[in-house]
Amino acid sequence: MLSPEQIEGAIAIARAAAAAILTVYDGEFAVERKADASPVTAADMAAHHLIVDGLARLTPDIPVLSEESAHEVSFEQRREWSRLWLVDPLDGTREFVKRNGEFSVNLALIDHGVPVFGLIQAPVGGALWHAQRGGRAYRRDGDDEREVQVRAPAAQPLRIAASRSFHSDRAERAMARLQREAPGGIDMLSLGSSLKFCRIAEGGLDLYPRFGPTSEWDTAAGQCVLEAAGGAVFDPQGRPFRYNQRAGILNGDFVAVGDLALPWKEWLDG
């Protein structure tokens, strides 16, 4: 776990990364493509260097696995890490390129596969969510901070988060089932990046079913914040997500849920 001073240090690092991202966002920037065809910009790299260097000073004994340098670390190396920082310096680069403001900075501390600290910073607007496992979840706006909690019982109609940039036939079928089977039907909101987890954590949304690829750094911080707020992130069998357990860093399907009494498996298994 992190001390209060280390939490404030992580927040300062995330805010510095957000400021660097906005410097690029407010000007002209080039978009390159990585080997997997995903976009990368100067903002991703500026945030990456600030975060990696900052965490090395803050917690020199904890290694960092960042999206922008993960290709340099073998599974044989990182499988020996009982604790690590899992970082997405700019989650939602596609939304950054579209200039819709729906992107974030994700920092998660993983201990034996479990996210024990999570922080999500929204560069546009400046909101920041953070939590430690076993504690409570908080939203900070400037110097003002308040506790956040999921909405339980869930709303009717059920408020569903959908990915802004990723769609599939499976997702469309799942939404159709939810519309038929959820009491009161559903209202769907498209939103980019890990901000979907934050919206569930603070009671603005109820459910986020995801069919299709995400990476571990896309979900770890959001899972920690959501769990501390009273929700959870499950795989299709109802098991909580775990991290740095496999050679691949791609997640399978999952559902992020606020009200744990929701029969989401029954709704989505049809």
Side-chain angles (χ1 to χ4, degrees), residues 67-270:
E67 177 179 9
E68 304 311 333
S69 57
H71 61 281
E72 301 171 3
V73 183
S74 69
F75 178 57
E76 289 69 29
Q77 180 180 356
R78 61 181 172 82
R79 73 190 304 179
E80 302 298 322
W81 298 347
S82 59
R83 291 201 302 166
L84 70 150
W85 285 102
L86 195 54
V87 172
D88 193 340
L90 202 174
D91 181 26
T93 302
R94 288 177 176 83
E95 315 312 324
F96 176 90
V97 172
K98 295 174 186 175
R99 297 185 188 268
N100 66 15
E102 296 175 2
F103 48 88
S104 61
V105 176
N106 298 348
L107 308 183
L109 179 61
I110 308 300
D111 190 343
H112 291 87
V114 177
V116 296
F117 172 76
L119 184 159
I120 296 173
Q121 167 78 60
V124 174
L128 180 146
W129 297 262
H130 68 94
Q132 287 216 84
R133 185 173 178 82
R136 298 181 177 182
Y138 301 93
R139 173 173 172 160
R140 185 177 296 192
D141 294 273
D143 295 328
D144 296 327
E145 184 166 281
R146 62 181 175 88
E147 182 182 347
V148 297
Q149 291 183 311
V150 300
R151 176 169 45 201
Q156 291 191 28
L158 200 66
R159 303 198 68 191
I160 305 292
S163 175
R164 175 73 74 185
S165 295
F166 293 93
H167 305 279
S168 68
D169 290 341
R170 293 173 62 211
E172 293 296 327
R173 290 195 299 270
M175 292 302 175
R177 285 197 302 273
L178 283 166
Q179 183 68 61
R180 291 193 308 269
E181 299 178 21
I186 64 172
D187 280 341
M188 192 167 66
L189 174 69
S190 294
L191 186 65
S193 77
S194 59
L195 297 175
K196 294 182 281 292
F197 296 97
C198 301
R199 288 285 186 90
I200 300 173
E202 61 186 20
L205 292 168
D206 300 302
L207 196 70
Y208 169 35
R210 178 61 185 251
F211 303 94
T214 59
S215 296
E216 293 189 356
W217 42 69
D218 295 321
T219 57
Q223 178 176 341
C224 188
V225 169
L226 182 52
E227 287 178 344
V233 178
F234 296 119
D235 72 10
Q237 287 71 49
R239 300 171 299 198
F241 261 22
R242 294 295 179 258
Y243 298 89
N244 197 38
Q245 305 296 295
R246 299 168 289 110
I249 48 80
L250 289 180
N251 295 320
D253 296 344
F254 67 84
V255 60
V257 58
D259 179 0
L260 297 181
L262 286 175
W264 60 268
K265 281 184 94 286
E266 175 183 323
W267 292 341
L268 297 175
D269 282 346

